[in-house]
Amino acid sequence: MTARVVRLDAPRLRAYGTQLADLLVDAVDGGASVGFLAPLERTAAVAWWRERAEGVAAGRLAVWAARDGERVVGTVGLAFPDKPNSRHRAELVKLLVHRDARGKGLGRTLLTAAERNAAALGVTLLHLDTETGSPAEHLYRTAGWAAVGTIPDYAADPAGVLRPTSLYYKHVAAG
C-alpha cells in the first residue's frame, strides 16, 4: 500500500469528516476499544470528527490522515495539554487503520509520523492508553514504547464489557 500521510488543518478535517467517520465506524465494528460503543451510527461519527476541527484550529489537537488514492484508510492524532507545566508532552490518540488496510505497515507509518511531528513541534514525551491484550499493544512495544502499568476495568469495549487498559510512554527527541 502506498498511502500518503497528510496533516489536516481544520477545514480539511471537516472536508474529510465523512471518510474519517467511516474509518471510525469500521474500527468500532471490528471491536476496537476507541471510546465508542457498537453500533456506532455514521451520523454520530461524522459529528464527532467535525467537532475535532475546533481543537485542530485552536492548536490543542493535531490530526493526520493516511490516504490511499482518494480514500482515507488511517488516522492518528496528538492531543496537547493546555497547562503550562505540561507543554513538553502530548497524548497519542485515535490511531486507526481500516480493517482492509491492516497488515501492510500503515499503523507503524502513522505512529512514526506522529512521533516525528511531535519531536518537530518540541514535544519530548508521548503517552497513550490502549486495551490490554489488543493488537495495538504489539505495535507500541515493537516501536519502542514502554509499558507503565495496567488499570483494570478502565473502559468498555464496543460491546460494553469493561476491559483493562495498558498505559505506555515514549521519549522522542525534540526537533
Side-chain angles (χ1 to χ4, degrees):
M1 172 174 294
T2 56
R4 193 172 130 232
V5 178
V6 295
R7 185 169 176 178
L8 304 180
D9 59 14
R12 200 179 228 179
L13 190 144
R14 285 186 201 97
Y16 289 177
T18 55
Q19 290 188 52
L20 289 164
D22 290 341
L23 180 62
L24 182 58
V25 168
D26 175 73
V28 173
D29 285 351
S33 181
V34 291
F36 298 89
L37 299 176
L40 176 59
E41 296 294 326
R42 187 171 188 261
T43 54
V46 169
W48 185 86
W49 273 111
R50 291 201 170 140
E51 289 168 4
R52 307 285 75 79
E54 180 183 321
V56 168
R60 295 186 311 268
L61 178 67
V63 176
W64 291 267
R67 296 184 50 146
D68 185 17
E70 293 300 310
R71 182 173 167 238
V72 173
V73 291
T75 189
V76 67
L78 292 173
F80 304 103
D82 61 355
K83 296 175 184 71
N85 72 341
S86 55
R87 303 229 190 270
H88 65 289
R89 70 177 189 243
E91 181 180 6
L92 188 92
V93 294
K94 297 296 181 274
L95 175 56
L96 307 173
V97 174
H98 198 281
R99 284 182 285 176
D100 65 13
R102 291 184 188 158
K104 301 171 186 168
L106 184 54
R108 186 166 307 276
T109 297
L110 286 162
L111 182 59
T112 300
E115 291 171 359
R116 287 184 181 156
N117 279 283
L121 294 169
V123 171
T124 58
L125 179 67
L126 294 173
H127 63 95
L128 63 85
D129 65 80
T130 191
E131 183 179 328
T132 304
S134 70
E137 276 199 291
H138 176 74
L139 171 63
Y140 299 131
R141 287 181 191 271
T142 60
W145 287 69
V148 177
T150 302
I151 303 171
D153 299 335
Y154 185 78
D157 67 12
V161 177
L162 291 177
R163 301 283 184 194
T165 293
S166 295
L167 307 175
Y168 287 83
Y169 75 93
K170 184 174 185 179
H171 283 103
V172 294

